[in-house]
Amino acid sequence: TVNFETEKIINIQGGYSSSSCLGAFANCSALQFITIPYSVQTIGIGAFSGCSNLRKVTFEKNSLLKEIGGGYSGNSYFGAFSDCISLETIEIPAEVETIGIAAFKGCVNLSSVRFASGSKLSTIEGVFDYSQHNYNFSLLYPQMSKTAR
C-alpha cells in the first residue's frame, strides 16, 4: 500500500526508453493498493505499468486528475496501468479529460470501468485490451456528452 503524506503532488511521473518502462512505480509487484491524492493532475506514461498485484486504485474525493497517460514505441506499449493483471475495476474521476493509448492494455481481469458522474472525459485513445480472456467487460458512463475516439 502506498500512502502519500503531502497534498502537493501534482504529477505521478512516467516514461520509457526504447524497450523499458521507467514509470514511478513500474513493475512494483509488491504494490496491491494505492490511493491517488486529490491534487494529482497527471498519471504519466507507464507510471504503474506491470504492477502485477495491483488490485485497487482509489482516487481521493474531489480529484483534480485530468490525464491518464499512455503510449507506444515500436512494438512496446507503456500505458499508465498497462499489464496490471490483478486490477478488476476502476472508477475514473470526473475531471479526467483524456485517457491515453494503451492506458489499460493487458489488464486481462479488468471487467468494469466506471466514469464518475459529471465526467469531463473527451478523449479515449484505444485504451482497453478487449482480450479473449475477458468476456464480462462493462463500460459504465453515466452521460455521454462528448465524443470518445
Side-chain angles (χ1 to χ4, degrees):
T1 301
V2 174
N3 294 309
F4 295 98
E5 297 201 15
T6 179
E7 297 175 352
K8 297 179 181 180
I9 297 173
I10 296 174
N11 299 309
I12 297 177
Q13 296 294 327
Y16 60 91
S17 66
S18 61
S19 63
S20 298
C21 188
L22 306 172
F25 295 93
N27 300 310
C28 183
S29 61
L31 184 62
Q32 294 182 7
F33 308 97
I34 189 163
T35 298
I36 308 293
Y38 79 92
S39 59
V40 172
Q41 296 177 24
T42 303
I43 299 176
I45 293 170
F48 295 95
S49 180
C51 292
S52 58
N53 291 309
L54 182 61
R55 296 187 313 187
K56 185 171 184 176
V57 177
T58 304
F59 298 93
E60 285 184 345
K61 187 175 179 178
N62 300 319
S63 173
L64 299 175
L65 186 65
K66 295 193 179 313
E67 181 179 357
I68 299 173
Y72 270 91
S73 177
N75 291 327
S76 299
Y77 55 89
F78 307 101
F81 294 97
S82 60
D83 295 322
C84 290
I85 59 174
S86 296
L87 188 62
E88 295 179 0
T89 184
I90 192 165
E91 182 169 342
I92 308 297
E95 294 298 314
V96 172
E97 297 171 356
T98 303
I99 299 176
I101 194 164
F104 295 96
K105 183 170 176 47
C107 294
V108 296
N109 288 306
L110 183 63
S111 61
S112 177
V113 177
R114 290 183 176 269
F115 295 90
S117 181
S119 178
K120 295 182 179 178
L121 186 67
S122 61
T123 304
I124 299 177
E125 301 173 336
V127 292
F128 302 109
D129 182 8
Y130 293 103
S131 166
Q132 63 182 346
H133 305 290
N134 192 355
Y135 296 110
N136 297 314
F137 185 83
S138 63
L139 187 64
L140 304 170
Y141 194 90
Q143 296 177 343
M144 187 65 137
S145 60
K146 298 181 181 178
T147 304
R149 51 184 162 133

